[in-house]
Amino acid sequence: MPFQYKDEVTIKFAGDSGDGMQLTGNEFTGNTALTGSDLATFPDFPAEIRAPQGTTAGVSGFQLHFGSRRIFTPGDRCDVLVVMNAAALKSHLNSLKKGGILIANIDGFDHKNLRLSKYPDGDNPLQNGSLTDYELHALPIGKLTREALRESPLGTKDKERAKNMFVLGFLYWLYDRDMQSTIDRLNAKFARQPDILQANLLVLKAGWHYAETIETLGTRYRVAPAPLPAGEYRNIMGNEALSIGLIAAARQLQLTLFYGSYPITPASDILHHLAKHKNFGVKTFQAEDEIAAICAAIGASYGGNLGITGTSGPGLALKAEAIGLAVMLELPLVIIDVQRGGPSTGLPTKTEQADLLQALYGRNGECPAVVLAAHSPSDCFDTAMEACRLAVQYMTPVILLSDGYIANGAEPWQFPTADQLPQDWKVKFRQTLQADEVFLPYERDEKWVRPWAIPGTDTLTHRIGGLEKEDGTGNISYSPANHEYMVKVREAKIAGIADDIAPQTLTEGVENGDLLILGWGSTYGAIRSAVRDLIAEGHSVAHAHLRHLRPLPRNLGDLLRQYRRVLIPEINNGQLVKVIREQYLLPAVPFNKIQGLPITSAEIKIAALSLLS
């Protein structure tokens, strides 16, 4: 059978939450990484914990984009769509390209499933001719799985759970993959459950051999390795990269990492990852609520530790008063906000960028804090390192913004070795004073930073609390002039950090052009892909992406003014665009999408072309 080489492929797996689509997608992703392809993933979870089985509300999806070139997004539209039931087809058919491969599990299109997914009575999309635009392979996956396991001692339900392995084997054959990596993982995972191990191996191989023997598959596909820089890589998800970055920063700062949090989607995995690393001295604390979590982290920082807390949008709102306390105390603190759809409980498993204004301004009083944003799963490592550096060096809270797309997405990461990390980060705590010295806890250096004194250090007794501090002494002060001065000082300290961050650079494109697309956070990949396409078509465009959102880079205004138009795509109702307009008095143009889904490169390209015409 002939092979067809593809530069890039996008596959989406979709089915009920119990169909194992996340596991199948992750396994195919791991296997893909071993081939040397660049890749990006997007898991899409149901918002309800126990959505009714067979309904569109219960559909779980996993999208993988891989190729022999640089990949920046999980793909706009799919080349292959795997659907395990009618609800999955209804939810995701519009994402499949015309002429794309559609693999459908016939067993998921019985009368009950069609009714639950609200197809008209007697109307089966696999039989009514509505799918002629696609290469349809309707397979009795459930039946074939049961046949493969007819000698297995497992019960019916356990046999059914193996049907995702049939799909995986089928696709491994279609894309000419070696199954050994999955076989090895199954052996490791089910070493003490031989019946389950044997069942999964049998069904995996059954899927492979079925694809090999049916005549409807006329072509197999191969994707060459991507030209990535030489080095050692691992596949990394955003929350995992954040956790590793926090640990690395604590090690370089020679501080004990304390992470206090309350479980909340999609940030909970950070606690899970950090709890595994007690060997690095990491201390994790699952608090009874969001307020207790951040207050414990503040207490840890007061005691000379690297205090960190994590949450999502609703939790950030609850933490607001304690962030103000940390601003008043001027203690280092990192607050991670893995954003999700809101307001209130909103869309817990869907992505959004709607917490930027909350991070910038969502506290009482004049309460400045540093705000950073990661732009991809692997970038979470570097952004976490930067957040810890700024928090400690400037004795200030730092809010680090991620989102559900970044947190659960994955990409190859060329990880650094220990000797490649910064080596000059060791913290200098204030030491015991001489007999004739007086300790002033709010005495400041040339960057407006006060000293960090560990409680119990001889001669460094000082007052701490949320009431306004007197300049220098830290005593409680109600002086109007002192309050205004302290407000200005706290603001000046944060503004001055702009001198300690790199000037804003372009990710792609030309200086002095017709259009600059400015982004932050998870729009990075879509913007970069769109700009590359526009440049290839001869347009004078560029892409700049912000990591530092407060303070903004010193040169940002000058950079923006080099372009005739500025477009700002965001997964919100227009938040960064308000900041840019206010800060630089420029007529920046927003492009907004608020559907719980990432913006696609095609959508950005259309918006850009409308400004270029």
Side-chain angles (χ1 to χ4, degrees):
M1 183 171 289
F3 285 101
Q4 181 179 336
Y5 281 87
K6 292 271 194 177
D7 290 332
E8 57 184 314
V9 174
T10 300
I11 300 176
K12 176 172 280 187
F13 303 88
D16 261 323
S17 293
D19 287 336
M21 294 295 93
Q22 301 298 327
L23 188 151
T24 307
N26 277 311
E27 195 58 43
F28 197 90
T29 298
N31 184 277
T32 300
L34 293 174
T35 69
S37 291
D38 197 9
L39 62 89
T41 69
F42 176 53
D44 187 16
F45 304 98
E48 299 179 37
I49 295 174
R50 286 190 176 91
Q53 193 172 16
T55 66
T56 54
V59 173
S60 177
F62 187 102
Q63 188 161 312
L64 164 67
H65 183 198
F66 61 98
S68 56
R69 61 174 184 80
R70 289 300 310 275
I71 299 296
F72 300 109
T73 75
D76 288 1
R77 306 193 72 193
C78 307
D79 301 283
V80 181
L81 175 62
V82 177
V83 293
M84 299 301 285
N85 61 12
L89 179 69
K90 187 166 223 179
S91 297
H92 294 295
L93 182 61
N94 62 353
S95 68
L96 182 62
K97 296 175 182 176
K98 298 297 183 185
I101 297 172
L102 175 60
I103 300 169
N105 174 28
I106 294 173
D107 300 341
F109 286 78
D110 58 14
H111 176 73
K112 179 181 177 181
N113 275 283
L114 289 167
R115 176 176 55 80
L116 288 170
S117 52
K118 299 191 181 331
Y119 279 98
D121 288 342
D123 186 21
N124 188 331
L126 300 185
Q127 301 170 355
N128 64 10
S130 63
L131 302 175
T132 55
D133 287 338
Y134 311 102
E135 183 183 326
L136 174 62
H137 300 279
L139 314 176
I141 295 173
K143 178 182 177 182
L144 292 168
T145 298
R146 292 189 294 273
E147 287 181 0
L149 298 178
R150 64 177 176 271
E151 303 297 329
S152 171
L154 294 177
T156 303
K157 285 187 177 180
D158 288 330
K159 289 178 180 179
E160 280 288 321
R161 291 192 183 102
K163 63 180 179 287
N164 61 329
M165 288 295 107
F166 188 95
V167 172
L168 191 59
F170 189 93
L171 286 172
Y172 278 170
W173 183 89
L174 188 62
Y175 284 93
D176 192 34
R177 294 293 181 79
D178 186 344
M179 294 189 292
Q180 193 58 47
S181 65
T182 295
I183 293 170
D184 290 343
R185 269 189 280 273
L186 289 172
N187 275 295
K189 183 175 182 179
F190 298 114
R192 298 183 180 181
Q193 298 170 289
D195 291 339
I196 295 178
L197 170 62
Q198 189 63 22
N200 279 282
L201 291 175
L202 280 171
V203 177
L204 177 71
K205 293 172 183 177
W208 171 282
H209 293 304
Y210 184 82
E212 190 175 36
T213 55
I214 63 172
E215 296 180 357
T216 55
L217 288 173
T219 305
R220 298 176 74 187
Y221 302 95
R222 286 177 177 170
V223 177
L228 299 173
E232 193 170 357
Y233 288 80
R234 62 175 290 183
N235 199 43
I236 196 85
M237 296 174 70
N239 278 348
E240 185 180 10
L242 260 177
S243 304
I244 296 171
L246 296 174
I247 294 169
R251 298 282 286 184
Q252 298 312 107
L253 291 163
Q254 298 183 33
L255 296 174
T256 298
L257 192 162
F258 177 92
Y259 185 77
S261 78
Y262 179 75
I264 184 170
T265 302
S268 299
D269 280 343
I270 301 171
L271 176 62
H272 303 159
H273 288 302
L274 289 174
K276 299 175 184 177
H277 294 292
K278 295 182 178 67
N279 56 312
F280 290 118
V282 175
K283 296 178 180 178
T284 53
F285 170 56
Q286 181 175 318
E288 67 269 27
D289 56 42
E290 295 283 5
I291 299 170
I294 187 172
C295 288
I298 292 171
S301 287
Y302 180 55
N305 301 276
L306 180 58
I308 301 170
T309 188
T311 189
S312 188
L316 187 65
L318 290 169
K319 294 179 190 291
E321 184 179 2
I323 295 173
L325 175 62
V327 169
M328 183 64 81
L329 301 179
E330 296 190 55
L331 284 170
L333 178 70
V334 176
I335 306 105
I336 297 165
D337 175 14
V338 187
Q339 300 165 96
R340 69 190 205 187
S344 186
T345 313
L347 303 172
T349 62
K350 307 302 180 181
T351 198
E352 204 160 272
Q353 289 183 296
D355 294 349
L356 176 58
L357 295 181
Q358 181 181 201
L360 292 172
Y361 308 120
R363 296 167 293 281
N364 67 294
E366 297 289 343
C367 192
V370 178
V371 180
L372 308 179
H375 71 242
S376 71
S378 62
D379 185 60
C380 285
F381 175 87
D382 296 317
T383 308
M385 292 277 289
E386 175 72 346
C388 294
R389 177 185 78 88
L390 293 176
V392 169
Q393 290 186 3
Y394 287 89
M395 296 289 286
T396 183
V398 175
I399 299 173
L400 192 167
L401 298 174
S402 176
D403 61 38
Y405 171 35
I406 294 173
N408 296 313
E411 64 183 356
W413 175 43
Q414 187 179 12
F415 54 89
T417 57
D419 60 350
Q420 293 173 320
L421 298 176
Q423 304 298 314
D424 57 348
W425 278 16
K426 184 177 179 180
V427 177
K428 295 180 181 178
F429 292 106
R430 188 63 182 266
Q431 302 300 314
T432 302
L433 304 181
Q434 300 299 320
D436 58 345
E437 287 186 275
V438 176
F439 178 52
L440 297 175
Y442 282 81
E443 184 179 34
R444 302 175 185 280
D445 64 14
E446 69 281 358
K447 295 183 178 180
W448 304 101
V449 179
R450 81 173 188 89
W452 195 358
I454 298 179
T457 305
D458 188 32
T459 72
L460 299 187
T461 302
H462 60 285
R463 187 186 303 271
I464 196 165
L467 293 173
E468 181 61 279
K469 304 292 177 288
E470 183 180 64
D471 179 39
T473 67
N475 294 331
I476 295 171
S477 173
Y478 290 98
S479 163
N482 178 80
H483 175 57
E484 180 169 319
Y485 176 76
M486 294 296 280
V487 166
K488 297 290 189 183
V489 164
R490 287 188 289 263
E491 181 64 40
K493 180 175 70 169
I494 301 304
I497 293 174
D499 296 325
D500 193 22
I501 61 178
Q504 184 62 46
T505 58
L506 296 177
T507 305
E508 299 277 352
V510 297
E511 297 180 1
N512 299 300
D514 291 331
L515 178 66
L516 175 70
I517 305 182
L518 179 68
W520 69 278
S522 61
T523 56
Y524 173 84
I527 296 174
R528 190 166 186 184
S529 296
V531 167
R532 283 193 165 194
D533 287 349
L534 290 165
I535 291 171
E537 294 172 10
H539 295 286
S540 177
V541 298
H543 169 209
H545 217 78
L546 296 170
R547 169 180 287 168
H548 297 87
L549 293 159
R550 184 170 189 178
L552 292 164
R554 289 276 190 226
N555 68 323
L556 181 60
D558 292 336
L559 180 66
L560 297 175
R561 292 185 183 94
Q562 293 175 8
Y563 298 87
R564 186 172 60 86
R565 306 293 296 273
V566 175
L567 174 68
I568 302 181
E570 299 180 82
I571 312 175
N572 58 41
N573 205 30
Q575 297 195 12
L576 178 63
V577 70
K578 291 182 174 69
V579 175
I580 296 301
R581 286 171 171 173
E582 184 271 335
Q583 186 83 10
Y584 302 111
L585 303 180
L586 290 172
V589 178
F591 174 70
N592 306 112
K593 179 178 179 179
I594 327 164
Q595 300 178 15
L597 297 169
I599 295 176
T600 67
S601 58
E603 290 168 335
I604 292 173
K605 185 176 177 182
I606 291 170
L609 288 171
S610 70
L611 296 178
L612 290 165
S613 60

